[in-house]
Amino acid sequence: MTNDKGQTSDSAAENAIAEKLSFGTKLAFGAGDLGTAMTANIIVFYLLFFLTDVAGLSPGLAGSILTLSNIWDAINDPIVGVLSDKTRSRWGRRYPWMIFGAIPFGIFFFLQWIVPPLSEWGLFWYYIAISLLFNTAYTTVNLPYTALTPELTEDYDERTNLNSFRFAFSLGGSIVSLLIGKIIFDLVEDSQLRYILLGGICAVIAVLPIYWCILGTRDRLQQMQRQKPEAEEPVSLPLLEQFRIVLNNRPFLFAIGIYVCSWLALQVTASIIPYFVVSWMNLPEAAFPQVALAVQGTALVMLFFWSKLSDRLGKKAVYFMGMSLWLIAQFGLFFVQPGQNLLMYCLAVMAGFGVATAYLIPWSMVPDVIDLDELQTGQRREGIFYAFMVLLQKIGRGLGLFLVGQALEFAGYLERVPGEAIPQQPESAQLAIRIAIAPMPALVIIGGLILAYFYPITRDVHHSILLQLRERKQSNERA
């Protein structure tokens, strides 16, 4: 039997869990994605072009580097996810990974932008090694960070709002990196020096917000841990059994399918933009950051609009609206001709409307899936679910870059000899660039829309899941 004092304490605990997060906590949480977003954005927009037109590798070898590094990610993401679930420390499960991974993360990112005096195959193996080390460090920072979302709040709409802060910083970091790139490209003529400066400056900026996130969310996380100590209990199931349960979670399969389609479309588009701007639109190399800024800047502005609209209409409706606009923009880019620069920028802005929903909606679905998993299994496994999401994020990035690289190789793209001008591309390569900028991402966007139609967790369903979880907790306490 519970006394009045106990009832008051329980009521206070429930109210504390349900209360809205402070602005400072949301701001600090969002900052945690700034550095990783900057580095991921630069890799997507610049790395393939850097490897072919600065380091002088063939498109096939350049695409293979990114593919092999993502195969390693397929191994280390689930491992880090499970280990972070099992971590016990006075800082909780996630923070130790972020604390000790931040500095190596910055160092290995910088080393990707150096061109050592090696043969083509020597450069190939150098970039393979650095990519493996960087992606390992990226995982140790980013995966535990993403798993913080359901540990900070249980509220269905508050999670969407929290992710809007995250992706505001994510898109903000992307925009900052593109602005830094534009300034460097405008001021520095030497191609290799451009990328050394870009990598060094962004590496320093990327590390610091990770520590801001830790310090700014620590109090809220400790409060949640005191009120739900069972959430900090290490996961007891074997790794293969956890994989089986995750893959048998039907709503999660829909969520990751939606995310893979959205992210693959984004990665293919982003990686081909430099080639589209330079080789098809015949604009200077320094112009492609402006096109990327049009997309990312619009996405940042629209992020909070979509978040508010999601509170009223639901996640699925917002996803349909945003992705439909993006689909129209992608098809339009196929028909843009050299000299139609204004039309190109207008379509880039329209694409940004949809890109915002691609960032926001799939990630806000995952915490709801984790609650369902807790209801079904009695355990919290944020790490393993977010491991799959981060893994698929990287696979989408690597697959997009690989497909673009192989398509350019097959179409006869002429890589630039270091120190010389960019060569005029054959018609086959130009057609491959136009296909990669429009029909290819459009097809996967359509796939994401089909999966979103069947996604089963609505606001009412999630509310029912939380009620059942609380009833079970109260039943256990009475027992």
Side-chain angles (χ1 to χ4, degrees), residues 296-307:
Q296 300 289 67
T298 304
L300 177 61
V301 172
M302 291 301 299
L303 197 62
F304 290 96
F305 169 78
W306 290 127
S307 178

Side-chain angles (χ1 to χ4, degrees), residues 110 113 180 184 188 192-203:
F110 169 69
W113 306 100
I180 293 172
I184 292 173
V188 179
Q192 291 190 21
L193 182 58
R194 281 175 172 175
Y195 287 94
I196 290 174
L197 290 172
L198 180 64
I201 292 171
C202 289

Side-chain angles (χ1 to χ4, degrees), residues 69-306:
S69 66
N70 281 278
I71 290 174
W72 167 239
D73 274 335
I75 299 170
N76 72 44
D77 278 330
I79 292 173
V80 172
V82 172
L83 291 176
S84 73
D85 277 344
K86 292 178 176 290
T87 298
R88 300 293 299 274
S89 78
R90 64 187 182 90
W91 286 84
R93 293 186 288 177
R94 317 300 176 190
Y95 290 153
W97 294 86
M98 298 167 66
I99 292 169
F100 294 107
I103 301 299
F105 161 71
I107 292 173
F108 292 125
F109 175 75
F110 169 69
L111 293 177
Q112 289 183 109
W113 306 100
I114 294 175
V115 184
L118 300 171
S119 66
E120 184 176 37
W121 279 102
L123 287 171
F124 173 78
W125 289 112
Y126 169 80
Y127 291 119
I128 285 288
I130 295 300
S131 293
L132 295 179
L133 292 169
F134 168 72
N135 282 308
T136 302
Y138 184 103
T139 299
T140 62
V141 169
N142 188 244
L143 196 151
Y145 162 74
T146 59
L148 286 174
T149 307
E151 297 183 3
L152 292 173
T153 180
E154 292 183 335
D155 186 85
Y156 180 85
D157 293 318
E158 191 72 351
R159 285 172 173 174
T160 303
N161 188 252
L162 188 63
N163 273 296
S164 69
F165 275 80
R166 174 191 169 187
F167 290 115
F169 274 92
S170 179
L171 288 166
S174 300
I175 291 169
V176 168
S177 67
L178 291 170
L179 287 172
I180 293 172
K182 175 172 172 50
I183 293 170
I184 292 173
F185 277 43
D186 287 342
L187 297 178
V188 179
E189 294 186 2
D190 183 87
S191 293
Q192 291 190 21
L193 182 58
R194 281 175 172 175
Y195 287 94
I196 290 174
L197 290 172
L198 180 64
I201 292 171
C202 289
V204 173
I205 297 174
V207 169
L208 298 178
I210 297 170
Y211 296 106
W212 176 13
C213 173
I214 294 168
L215 294 173
T217 60
R218 182 179 56 180
D219 289 344
R220 171 66 181 186
L221 190 62
Q222 288 176 343
Q223 179 189 40
M224 294 292 289
Q225 289 170 359
R226 287 192 299 269
Q227 293 157 10
K228 294 194 68 179
E230 70 278 2
E232 280 295 299
E233 289 300 313
V235 178
S236 60
L237 291 177
L239 177 60
L240 292 178
E241 179 66 10
Q242 291 185 53
F243 282 140
R244 186 191 67 79
I245 291 176
V246 166
L247 294 177
N248 285 336
N249 187 314
R250 185 169 171 269
F252 182 65
L253 295 181
F254 279 107
I256 60 176
I258 293 165
Y259 182 64
V260 168
C261 290
S262 305
W263 198 248
L264 181 57
L266 181 59
Q267 303 312 298
V268 170
T269 303
S271 62
I272 201 64
I273 282 177
Y275 299 97
F276 182 80
V277 171
V278 174
S279 297
W280 174 247
M281 298 298 292
N282 297 320
L283 295 172
E285 186 179 347
F288 74 76
Q290 298 174 193
V291 180
L293 279 168
V295 177
Q296 300 289 67
T298 304
L300 177 61
V301 172
M302 291 301 299
L303 197 62
F304 290 96
F305 169 78
W306 290 127

